[in-house]
């Protein structure tokens, strides 16, 4: 029977996603091999037919013009519109879902399809299952992973989109996984294959001869898939002697004589192989051809496309990539990047016959000889924590299957930024010298992460002497080694993240907060140089040369760990960019300066400190500045990674320029960086904890705006832990901002109600005086209260009983932004902007800080009470109440709720009670909507064992192994700064 089936041609339906031509071209190569094997292929696509028909002349190829997903909607050639993408997907695939499924099932049966193949259309997999046909996905990413980050922008209501996509994918028999793949947890079984690359039709010599290009002529191919609107290519963009082949130029576009317009239907792979380097965006098709034909790719990053870090790391690992800064691309500052790319020697030597291999696997699968399917529900494998936890936050503790080259990169990062031993944050060494460097000022305090950072500087110095001897040396290492004058002094500062024990989002309402600086910290090394002495990167040198202004002060920044997220590892700017007519530019202009290139907007946290010092204190920066940032504070965990960077940078800048700024004042300046330049509406507690905190103590602060009450000793019998939910948290996210707006709306409405009551009471009081009657209305004390509430600066100054007595029932649960503005004009918050069309929760966000302030005060008082089970139970209960209040505001998450639930199960278990209780409470922290959960318990080994059990239970439920924060360290003020210098070889 199998022999008879084998002789009969198979019928395959191949669905292609609507995201770009790259998917269609790789599908083309697989389809070509299937048709060569004698099979019939129906391609279901929205791509132009000529992509397939120009390459495949066969009656066995059928094109069905149907588009069942939208891919990622782009606002322009470089920018993905996250909200528009989800809205378009809902319109295309969610609303008409029932109709789509019915149509596809009927069609699949009508053409007698043997196997459905998807790249990577989710609903095609479900349609195959409904039709009783096997399905296979062929891809390097899946849309559940890509859309996971978009959900953070669009809000939790969009979670159902991710779940549905995952469930659709789960109907696949297995995944054929292409190189440069992302984590794809919705699939259970995967088969890895070589690169799928389009074959060449002509040799390099033939192509060049047809185009009239000499063999020794240097050629750049511009393969961009669309150009920014209104942008013109200029002759001076290219180095002398180079010519550029332009793909996708518009018909009416005029090009300089060193640029050559190519026909729209030109066969791109031949041209790439005939070129010396390529300029374009990162995508699977472009990267696979660059690697296969060993043509260096000069790439510019796209924002918000999660596939990119994985493909980019593969490209750079094989020495085939050079990143160009977006502003240099748009201003035509191409030459230094082209010259650098020309020196690369790509070393990819793995297979490029993926099209043939994939076709063979598909054939075997259709004949019943494929891998054994494992039918598990996608929703069983894909929990909330996995979906949102994978968002470019690949740090130690994540249990995912990644390529060898990515594991190597991850190991390199870990070795460069070692975390302290988990059992102790200090070592006994008090040496004043670290190998090649001598400490001229300050003390490393025995902190092992600081010692590790100093050792990383030694390695960078060694690299600067030896050059790029390692074939796979990271770009950030090379950039950092090249920017320092290693014979000159370097300043080092350190600032920790923080664990929000109590207070959280009530900080912007003036609450008392209790914050613990954690062990994980950010280190910054900074060096000042005269402009004519600074070691500039080549593109910065070229930029200054082009300006013809001689040497001017330049800021250069390297941020380690960029390979683990989709951001550029380097940033540079002329410090004069911060000036306009001799005065500092506005914060709004600075914000726009950084957000124009999303891959470099991270630099606002670092460079923003300089503008704030210029604006607030009138500091003038006449020297060039080199800054290296290495942070051990995990991003997106709700432990203030951004505040640690700001405080460490500001501390280093202040120390290097001889300024004297108290830690409290420094924290307030850092808050301005985050609020006005970064654009995140955070309160000040994060920066205060990072700057003013002390090891193993809770910083007690009233946020009105930042009054430090002191440091509360953590009793010896109590311990705090933080457990990461794996769900990315951001204070710049929509949920945090809308809750803050709702809170300020509530305050404005309470003040207005108090004013109306006061005016009414005053009028009645005066009338009663004239008439000589008794005042049965509001007495003097009541009027004093109303006067206080009319002038309410901070919502936390309103007591819970006054709120319940006078205001709670008069506040709406929700209110449309437009309705609020019509009645109140403004919510009196300079950090956030009301969206007139948005519906805001008001009552719960208003209630939260009023009660939270009361809870924090009670918590602080209880910490000094006599040790007892009642004390611990009461502390834990206050934390639970805080957690549920966050959820009422809309700032909860499935992952953090699960962790709190696990703590409660552990607390009330029989085994725990037999020990007299060990864990007593837990709460979501910081800005909420994911991030870290803070847990309180007895300071016993048993408690730590239970935390580890919770860690494993959470992994068993979600597939994600949480990171545990379990130690403290000093804030930046206590640490001070180090001044180091390379030791003289003569000594």
């Amino acid at each position: 029977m199998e022999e008879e089936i084998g002789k009969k041609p198979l019928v395959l339906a191949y669905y292609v996603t609507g995201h770009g031509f790259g998917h269609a071209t790789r599908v083309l190569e697989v389809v070509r091999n299937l048709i060569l094997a004698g099979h019939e292929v129906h391609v279901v696509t929205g791509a132009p037919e000529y992509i397939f028909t120009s390459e495949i002349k066969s009656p066995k190829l059928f094109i069905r013009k149907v588009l069942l997903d939208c891919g990622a909607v782009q606002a322009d050639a470089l920018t993905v519109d996250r909200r528009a993408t989800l809205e378009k997907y809902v319109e295309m695939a969610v609303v008409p879902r029932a109709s789509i499924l019915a149509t596809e099932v009927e069609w699949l049966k009508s053409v007698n399809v043997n196997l459905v193949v998807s790249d990577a259309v989710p609903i095609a997999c479900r349609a195959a299952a409904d039709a009783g046909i096997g399905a296979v996905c062929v891809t390097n990413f899946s849309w559940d992973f890509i859309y996971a980050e978009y959900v953070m922008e669009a809000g939790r209501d969009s979670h159902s989109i991710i779940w549905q996509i995952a469930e659709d994918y789960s109907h696949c028999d297995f995944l054929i996984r292409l190189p440069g793949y992302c984590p794809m947890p919705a699939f259970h079984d995967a088969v890895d294959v070589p690169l799928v690359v389009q074959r060449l039709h002509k040799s390099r010599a033939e192509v060049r001869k047809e185009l009239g290009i000499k063999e020794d002529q240097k050629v750049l191919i511009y393969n961009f898939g669309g150009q920014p609107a209104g942008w013109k290519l200029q002759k001076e963009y290219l180095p002398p002697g180079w010519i550029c082949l332009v793909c996708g130029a518009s018909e009416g576009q005029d090009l300089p004589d060193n640029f050559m317009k190519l026909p729209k239907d030109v066969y791109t792979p031949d041209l790439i192989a005939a070129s010396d380097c390529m300029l374009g965006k990162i995508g699977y098709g472009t990267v696979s051809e660059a690697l296969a034909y060993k043509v260096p790719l000069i790439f510019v990053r796209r924002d918000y496309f999660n596939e990119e870090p994985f493909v980019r790391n593969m490209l750079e690992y094989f020495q085939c990539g050079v990143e160009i800064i977006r502003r240099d691309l748009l201003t035509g500052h191409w030459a230094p990047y082209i010259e650098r790319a020309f020196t690369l020697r790509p070393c990819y030597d793995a297979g490029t016959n993926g099209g043939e291999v994939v076709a063979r696997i598909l054939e075997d699968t259709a004949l019943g000889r494929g891998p054994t399917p494992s039918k598990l529900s996608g929703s069983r494998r894909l929990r909330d924590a996995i979906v949102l936890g994978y968002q470019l936050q690949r740090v130690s503790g994540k249990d995912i299957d990644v390529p060898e080259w990515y594991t190597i990169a991850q190991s390199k990062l870990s070795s460069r930024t070692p975390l302290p031993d988990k059992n102790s944050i200090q070592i006994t060494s008090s040496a004043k010298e670290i190998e090649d460097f001598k400490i001229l000022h300050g003390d490393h305090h025995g902190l092992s992460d600081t010692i590790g950072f100093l050792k990383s500087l030694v390695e960078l110095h060694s690299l600067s002497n030896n050059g790029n001897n390692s074939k796979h040396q990271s770009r950030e290492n090379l950039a950092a080694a090249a920017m320092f004058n290693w014979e000159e002094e370097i300043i080092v500062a350190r600032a920790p993240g923080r664990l929000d024990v109590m207070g959280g989002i009530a900080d912007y309402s003036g609450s008392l907060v209790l914050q613990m600086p954690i062990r994980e910290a950010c280190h910054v090394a900074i060096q000042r140089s005269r402009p004519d002495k600074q070691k500039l990167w080549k593109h910065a040198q070229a930029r200054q040369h082009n300006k013809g202004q001689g040497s001017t002060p330049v800021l250069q920044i390297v941020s380690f760990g960029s390979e683990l997220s989709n951001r550029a590892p380097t940033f540079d700017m002329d410090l004069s960019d911060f000036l306009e007519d001799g005065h500092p530019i506005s914060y709004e202009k600075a914000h726009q300066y950084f957000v124009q290139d999303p891959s470099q907007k991270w630099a606002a946290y670092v460079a923003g400190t300089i503008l704030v010092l210029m604006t607030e204190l009138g500091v003038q920066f006449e020297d060039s500045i080199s800054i290296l940032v290495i942070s051990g504070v995990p991003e997106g965990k709700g432990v203030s990674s951004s505040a640690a960077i700001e405080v460490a940078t500001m501390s280093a800048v202040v120390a290097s320029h001889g300024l004297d700024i108290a830690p409290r004042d420094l924290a307030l300046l850092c808050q301005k960086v985050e609020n006005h330049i970064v654009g995140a509406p955070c309160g000040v507690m994060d920066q205060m904890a990072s700057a003013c905190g002390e090891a193993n103590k809770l910083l007690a602060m009233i946020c009105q705006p930042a009054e430090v009450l002191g440091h509360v000793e953590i009793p010896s019998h109590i311990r705090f832990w933080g457990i990461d939910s794996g769900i990315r948290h951001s204070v710049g996210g929509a949920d945090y901002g809308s809750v803050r707006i709702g809170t300020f709306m509530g305050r404005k409405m309470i003040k207005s109600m108090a004013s109306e009551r006061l005016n009414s009471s005053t009028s009645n009081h005066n009338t009663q005086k004239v008439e000589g009657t008794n005042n049965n209305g509001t007495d003097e004390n009541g009027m004093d209260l109303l006067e206080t509430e009319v002038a309410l600066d901070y919502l936390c100054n309103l007591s819970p009983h006054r709120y319940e007595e006078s205001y709670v029932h008069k506040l709406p649960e929700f209110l449309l932004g437009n309705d609020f503005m019509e009645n109140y004009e403004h919510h009196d918050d300079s950090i956030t902007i009301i969206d007139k069309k948005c519906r805001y929760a008001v009552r719960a966000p208003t209630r939260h800080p009023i009660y939270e302030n009361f809870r924090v005060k009670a918590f602080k008082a209880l910490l000094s009470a006599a040790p007892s089970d009642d004390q611990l139970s009461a502390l834990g209960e206050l934390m639970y109440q805080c957690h549920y209040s966050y959820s009422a505001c809309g700032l909860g998450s499935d992952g953090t709720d699960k962790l709190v639930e696990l703590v409660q199960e552990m607390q009330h278990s029989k085994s725990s009670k037999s020990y007299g209780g060990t864990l007593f409470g837990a709460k979501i922290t910081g800005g909420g909507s994911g991030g870290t959960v803070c847990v309180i318990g007895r300071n016993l080994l048993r408690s730590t064992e239970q935390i580890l059990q919770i860690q494993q239970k959470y992994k068993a439920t979600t597939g994600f192994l949480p990171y545990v924060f379990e130690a403290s360290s000093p804030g930046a003020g206590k640490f001070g700064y180090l001044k180091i210098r390379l030791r003289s070889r003569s000594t």
Side-chain angles (χ1 to χ4, degrees):
M1 179 66 180
E2 185 174 306
E3 290 181 2
E4 292 178 7
I5 296 175
K7 292 177 182 179
K8 182 181 178 181
L10 299 167
V11 179
L12 296 96
Y14 211 134
Y15 288 80
V16 187
T17 183
H19 182 73
F21 286 177
H23 293 267
T25 55
R26 75 184 183 195
V27 166
L28 163 67
E29 190 61 24
V30 178
V31 170
R32 189 179 65 82
N33 279 280
L34 285 169
I35 289 176
L36 283 175
H39 306 303
E40 180 181 303
V41 183
H42 294 255
V43 177
V44 185
T45 180
E49 287 191 27
Y50 75 82
I51 293 178
F52 299 93
T53 57
S54 62
E55 285 298 299
I56 303 174
K57 312 291 186 183
S58 171
K60 293 181 179 293
L61 172 66
F62 299 87
I63 307 295
R64 179 167 168 251
K65 295 286 288 186
V66 178
L67 189 59
L68 298 180
D69 71 353
C70 61
V73 176
Q74 296 198 191
D76 56 43
L78 294 172
T79 308
V80 172
D81 188 325
R82 294 170 289 174
R83 283 181 178 269
T85 295
L86 293 178
E87 289 169 0
K88 187 69 174 177
Y89 187 83
V90 169
E91 176 189 331
M92 290 183 63
V94 177
V95 173
R97 178 177 174 82
S99 174
I100 290 172
L101 284 172
T103 300
E104 295 309 304
V105 169
E106 181 181 355
W107 175 76
L108 289 169
K109 290 179 177 179
S110 70
V111 294
N112 297 314
V113 169
N114 299 108
L115 181 68
V116 170
V117 190
S118 177
D119 182 0
V121 181
I123 202 168
C125 308
R126 174 58 186 269
D130 288 356
I133 302 169
V136 176
C137 264
V138 183
T139 185
N140 65 308
F141 71 81
S142 54
W143 288 114
D144 52 339
F145 178 74
I146 301 298
Y147 288 170
E149 180 145 338
Y150 303 177
V151 169
M152 296 304 293
E153 170 70 11
R156 288 169 53 80
D157 292 343
S158 300
H159 280 201
S160 59
I161 296 174
I162 308 292
W163 288 99
Q164 187 63 70
I165 291 173
E167 189 64 33
D168 284 348
Y169 283 141
S170 73
H171 291 286
C172 271
D173 293 337
F174 62 95
L175 165 70
I176 297 178
R177 194 164 53 182
L178 303 175
Y181 58 82
C182 305
M184 290 181 275
F187 300 98
H188 182 71
D189 298 305
V191 177
D192 291 306
V193 296
L195 282 176
V196 175
V197 184
Q198 294 185 84
R199 60 176 180 155
L200 296 180
H201 293 170
K202 300 173 184 176
S203 69
R204 171 186 172 98
E206 288 174 325
V207 173
R208 286 182 167 238
K209 183 177 180 181
E210 289 181 4
L211 295 175
I213 302 171
K214 297 178 181 178
E215 183 57 35
D216 60 352
Q217 180 92 47
K218 295 176 183 176
V219 177
L220 169 75
I221 181 168
Y222 178 82
N223 185 23
F224 221 79
Q227 299 177 22
W231 188 45
K232 293 184 178 179
L233 298 170
Q234 305 290 336
K235 181 175 183 177
E236 58 271 18
Y237 289 5
L238 303 179
W242 280 74
I243 63 170
C244 179
L245 308 178
V246 181
C247 300
S250 61
E251 292 184 9
Q253 186 175 3
D254 293 326
L255 297 179
D257 55 15
N258 55 346
F259 286 76
M260 183 182 300
K261 188 185 300 184
L262 299 171
K264 284 195 173 182
D265 59 351
V266 70
Y267 190 64
T268 308
D270 286 348
L271 293 161
I272 293 174
S275 301
D276 296 292
C277 58
M278 177 165 43
L279 174 60
K281 296 180 292 188
I282 283 185
Y284 180 87
T286 304
V287 169
S288 64
E289 286 157 8
L291 290 171
Y293 308 138
K294 293 183 168 52
V295 177
L297 172 61
I298 304 164
F299 63 87
V300 61
R301 297 185 191 224
R302 292 173 298 173
D303 30 319
Y304 310 124
F305 200 73
N306 292 356
E307 170 201 25
E308 192 165 290
F310 295 89
V311 181
R312 186 188 70 244
N313 287 344
M314 180 172 66
L315 183 76
E316 293 184 342
Y317 181 78
F318 292 110
Q319 298 292 292
C320 198
V322 172
E323 180 178 352
I324 184 170
I325 300 169
R326 185 177 297 197
R327 68 176 184 271
D328 283 345
L329 171 74
L330 299 179
T331 57
H333 190 56
W334 296 4
Y337 302 97
I338 294 172
E339 290 165 351
R340 166 63 180 155
F342 188 68
T343 66
L344 294 183
R345 295 295 176 264
C347 56
Y348 183 79
D349 54 5
T352 58
N353 63 332
E356 179 184 347
V357 174
V358 171
R360 189 164 59 245
I361 294 173
L362 294 176
E363 180 183 54
D364 288 344
T365 302
L367 293 171
R369 299 195 296 255
T372 303
S374 179
K375 282 286 185 182
L376 290 178
S377 165
S379 60
R380 282 180 57 191
R381 295 195 298 271
L382 188 67
R383 302 298 183 187
D384 190 36
I386 271 196
V387 175
L388 300 180
Y390 278 134
Q391 296 171 69
L392 311 183
Q393 295 300 307
R394 289 165 287 281
V395 296
S396 177
K398 296 249 173 144
D399 184 18
I400 58 176
D401 186 17
V402 294
E404 181 184 1
W405 51 264
Y406 188 81
T407 306
I408 292 171
Q410 191 173 24
S411 299
K412 283 184 178 180
L413 178 71
S414 300
S415 65
R416 285 199 305 272
T417 56
L419 290 175
D421 181 87
K422 288 194 173 184
N423 297 317
S424 173
I425 64 162
Q426 294 190 335
I427 59 175
T428 56
S429 170
S430 59
K432 295 291 287 183
E433 295 181 358
I434 302 294
E435 297 187 27
D436 288 7
F437 288 100
K438 185 172 184 178
I439 298 178
L440 305 176
H441 171 86
D443 188 350
H444 55 57
H445 300 279
L447 293 166
S448 57
D449 63 339
T450 301
I451 294 171
F453 178 78
L454 295 175
K455 289 181 177 179
S456 71
L457 293 181
V458 174
E459 294 173 4
L460 291 175
H461 169 242
S462 175
L463 180 61
S464 71
N465 288 335
N466 299 333
N468 186 17
N469 294 330
S470 172
K471 184 169 69 172
H472 302 305
Q473 190 61 247
S474 71
R475 288 193 302 122
E476 57 194 34
N477 267 351
L478 296 172
M483 74 174 176
F484 284 123
N485 290 306
W486 292 101
E487 305 299 324
E488 302 296 327
E489 292 177 354
I490 295 175
I491 299 293
V492 174
R494 177 190 185 276
R498 64 97 187 94
L499 182 63
D500 168 35
V501 175
M502 286 293 285
I505 58 167
D507 63 341
Y508 56 70
S509 296
S511 177
L512 173 68
V513 297
L514 298 173
Q515 308 296 306
M516 184 181 81
I518 58 176
R519 173 189 61 195
E520 292 74 10
C522 173
H523 287 84
V524 168
I526 187 171
Q527 186 177 69
R528 292 174 58 184
S529 304
R530 281 171 34 198
D532 59 340
K533 295 292 185 182
Q534 186 175 25
K535 296 172 67 177
L536 295 178
W537 299 319
K538 288 184 179 179
H539 68 269
Q541 288 177 338
R543 183 178 67 235
Q544 290 209 347
H545 176 74
N546 291 345
K547 287 184 176 180
Q549 297 176 342
S551 299
T552 58
V554 173
L555 171 65
Q556 295 185 144
I557 306 170
V558 175
S559 172
F560 274 20
S562 64
E563 75 266 33
L564 302 185
S565 61
N566 195 18
R567 67 172 187 264
T570 64
F571 172 85
D572 65 274
M573 64 180 291
D574 296 339
L575 285 173
S576 59
D577 291 348
F578 275 154
L579 296 172
E580 190 172 69
D581 299 325
H583 299 285
I585 63 174
S586 68
Y587 289 149
E588 176 57 29
K589 284 187 177 180
H591 175 70
Q592 294 303 320
Y593 180 91
F594 289 106
V595 299
Q596 66 185 346
D597 186 351
S599 71
Q600 292 197 317
K601 66 181 182 181
W602 60 267
Y605 294 101
V606 182
T609 61
I610 291 173
L611 179 61
V612 167
L613 288 170
M614 293 169 65
T615 303
E616 304 299 328
L617 301 182
V619 179
Q620 297 183 9
F621 293 92
E622 298 177 349
D623 287 341
S624 292
I625 302 172
S626 299
I627 297 177
L628 170 64
V629 180
I630 302 182
S631 183
V633 185
E635 299 175 28
K637 309 302 181 193
V639 290
S640 297
S641 59
S642 60
I645 292 172
E646 292 156 355
V647 172
T649 303
M650 183 79 79
S651 299
V653 172
V654 164
S656 65
H657 288 78
L659 304 175
D660 185 13
I661 301 177
R664 175 187 179 276
D665 297 331
L666 186 139
L668 291 170
L669 292 171
C670 289
Q671 186 194 18
K672 290 183 180 294
V673 175
E674 183 131 9
N675 286 170
H676 302 299
I677 301 178
V678 174
C682 72
V684 73
M685 72 175 190
D686 298 352
Q687 291 81 7
M688 290 293 290
S690 185
C692 305
E694 294 185 11
N696 300 309
K697 296 180 182 179
L698 300 181
L699 178 73
M701 179 182 71
I702 296 177
C703 304
Q704 300 187 16
E707 181 187 347
V708 175
L709 299 183
H711 295 87
V712 180
E713 293 279 354
I714 300 174
S716 60
H717 66 289
I718 292 176
R719 188 172 179 184
F720 297 102
W721 295 264
I723 308 178
D724 166 33
S725 68
I727 300 176
R728 184 176 174 85
H729 152 84
S730 169
V731 294
D735 288 343
Y736 177 91
S738 63
V739 170
R740 176 168 175 148
I741 289 171
T743 304
F744 277 86
M745 283 180 170
R747 186 186 69 140
K748 186 67 173 276
M749 296 171 79
I750 286 173
K751 292 176 67 174
S752 177
M753 285 185 271
S755 178
E756 290 175 3
R757 289 183 61 195
L758 180 63
N759 291 336
S760 175
S761 298
T762 302
S763 176
N764 291 337
H765 182 70
N766 291 336
T767 300
Q768 289 163 353
K769 273 188 172 182
V770 171
E771 295 178 353
T773 59
N774 291 329
N775 178 17
N776 295 321
T778 306
D779 60 18
E780 296 293 337
N781 291 333
M783 293 180 67
D784 287 345
L785 276 175
L786 288 174
E787 287 176 354
T788 300
E789 288 158 9
V790 168
L792 190 66
D793 287 335
Y794 294 96
L795 198 52
C796 287
N797 292 338
L798 183 67
S799 64
H801 79 270
R802 280 292 294 172
Y803 172 73
E804 294 287 347
E805 175 193 13
S806 303
Y807 302 110
V808 63
H809 299 299
K810 298 177 182 178
L811 287 175
E813 289 283 355
F814 297 92
L815 187 63
L816 193 67
N818 185 63
D819 293 344
F820 175 86
M821 295 184 73
E822 284 184 355
N823 290 289
Y824 302 97
E825 293 186 3
H826 198 274
H827 63 321
D828 298 332
D829 180 22
S830 61
I831 305 302
T832 56
I833 298 174
I834 294 175
D835 182 346
K836 291 184 178 181
K837 297 179 181 179
C838 184
R839 185 168 176 261
Y840 294 97
V842 175
R843 188 180 295 176
T846 303
R847 184 182 191 276
H848 174 81
I850 295 170
Y851 278 84
E852 182 70 358
N853 189 42
F854 175 80
R855 286 189 288 263
V856 182
K857 288 180 177 179
F859 195 95
K860 180 174 179 289
L862 278 168
L863 284 173
S864 59
S868 68
D869 286 352
D870 287 341
Q871 177 205 32
L872 285 164
S873 296
L875 289 168
E877 179 60 28
L878 290 169
M879 294 179 77
Y880 286 138
Q881 289 180 17
C882 172
H883 178 79
Y884 295 120
S885 184
Y886 261 81
S887 296
C889 291
L891 292 175
S893 76
D894 294 346
T896 49
D897 285 349
K898 182 62 180 177
L899 285 170
V900 171
E901 178 187 325
L902 290 171
V903 171
Q904 290 174 334
E905 289 176 0
M906 192 69 70
Q907 175 185 357
H908 300 299
S909 66
K910 290 182 179 180
S911 60
S912 181
K913 288 181 178 179
S914 66
Y915 284 89
T918 49
L919 302 182
F920 289 87
K923 62 176 278 287
I924 195 171
T925 64
S929 296
T932 294
V933 164
C934 178
V935 182
I936 186 172
R938 293 186 192 276
N939 188 14
L940 298 172
L941 178 60
R942 172 64 179 164
S943 301
T944 300
E945 290 172 350
Q946 290 186 326
I947 292 292
L948 296 178
Q949 289 175 34
I950 290 171
Q951 182 187 43
Q952 292 301 321
K953 286 183 177 181
Y954 190 76
K955 180 186 176 184
T957 302
T958 67
F960 173 81
L961 181 66
Y963 185 93
V964 176
F965 301 93
E966 52 182 332
S968 182
S969 69
K974 279 290 183 182
F975 180 86
Y977 69 91
L978 302 179
K979 181 188 292 184
I980 62 175
R981 182 189 286 274
L982 198 67
R983 294 172 59 191
S984 171
R985 293 299 178 187
S986 61
T987 60

